[in-house]
């Protein structure tokens, strides 16, 4: 990682070096990257977009397929604008490469999203994460014959 703040050109080069099929658009004070992520071998491919403005944190959106809320209309772990909640304030700085931080974090978020779609439990970090007991029950279910009455 380079010391100090990375400029948008450095971020674009890092993205292109790891994701050559992704598209990068550079403006005077902003960068937009659009490309595909596949969180696991069993996952579908997602098209995501990262927008970065100088002096701001990156904003990550899923372009396709659209994210689907549950039956109650809830979509966990997103910001009010619909972008992915990938990190706590201050965890990402402009000295970090997007390709080494934001893209892996987005991939991890998508994997947690897929698990949530299948189980109804958000197992990722942060607000909305299931309790350790709920996670333990999901990962290590107790047979009905052994449950306490």
């Amino acid at each position: 990682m380079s010391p100090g703040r990375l400029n948008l050109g450095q971020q674009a080069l890092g993205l292109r070096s790891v994701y050559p099929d992704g598209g990068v658009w550079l403006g005077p004070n902003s960068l937009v990257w659009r490309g595909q992520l596949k969180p696991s071998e069993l996952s579908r491919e997602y098209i995501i977009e990262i927008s970065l403005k100088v002096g701001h944190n990156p904003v990550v959106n899923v372009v396709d397929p659209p994210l689907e809320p549950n039956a109650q209309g809830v979509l966990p772990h997103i910001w009010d604008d619909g972008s992915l909640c990938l990190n706590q304030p201050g965890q990402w700085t402009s000295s970090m490469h997007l390709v080494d931080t934001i893209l892996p974090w987005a991939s991890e978020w998508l994997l947690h999203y897929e698990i949530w779609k299948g189980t109804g439990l958000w197992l990722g970090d942060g607000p909305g994460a299931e309790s350790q007991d709920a996670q333990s029950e999901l990962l290590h279910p107790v047979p009905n014959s052994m449950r306490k009455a």
Side-chain angles (χ1 to χ4, degrees), residues 1-79:
M1 199 172 341
S2 303
R5 185 175 78 82
L6 296 170
N7 66 43
L8 296 175
Q10 290 170 308
Q11 293 287 11
L13 285 173
L15 290 164
R16 292 291 288 173
S17 70
V18 177
Y19 293 92
D21 294 333
V24 179
W25 296 269
L26 279 173
N29 294 307
S30 64
L31 170 149
V32 176
W33 178 85
R34 187 178 280 202
Q36 293 183 346
L37 284 182
K38 186 174 180 179
S40 75
E41 287 299 316
L42 300 175
S43 297
R44 66 183 311 158
E45 288 187 345
Y46 296 86
I47 297 173
I48 68 159
E49 184 173 281
I50 300 172
S51 301
L52 177 62
K53 293 181 182 175
V54 173
H56 294 85
N57 284 328
V59 175
V60 180
N61 287 289
V62 176
V63 176
D64 192 59
L67 298 175
E68 299 175 5
N70 64 13
Q72 292 76 37
V74 174
L75 189 57
H77 223 53
I78 59 168
W79 297 111

Side-chain angles (χ1 to χ4, degrees), residues 112 115-116 119 121-125 128-131 134-136 138-139:
H112 287 298
I115 294 168
W116 172 78
T119 66
L121 296 175
W122 183 265
L123 300 178
D125 291 340
E130 295 296 327
S131 70
Q135 291 179 32
S136 179
L138 177 69
L139 298 173

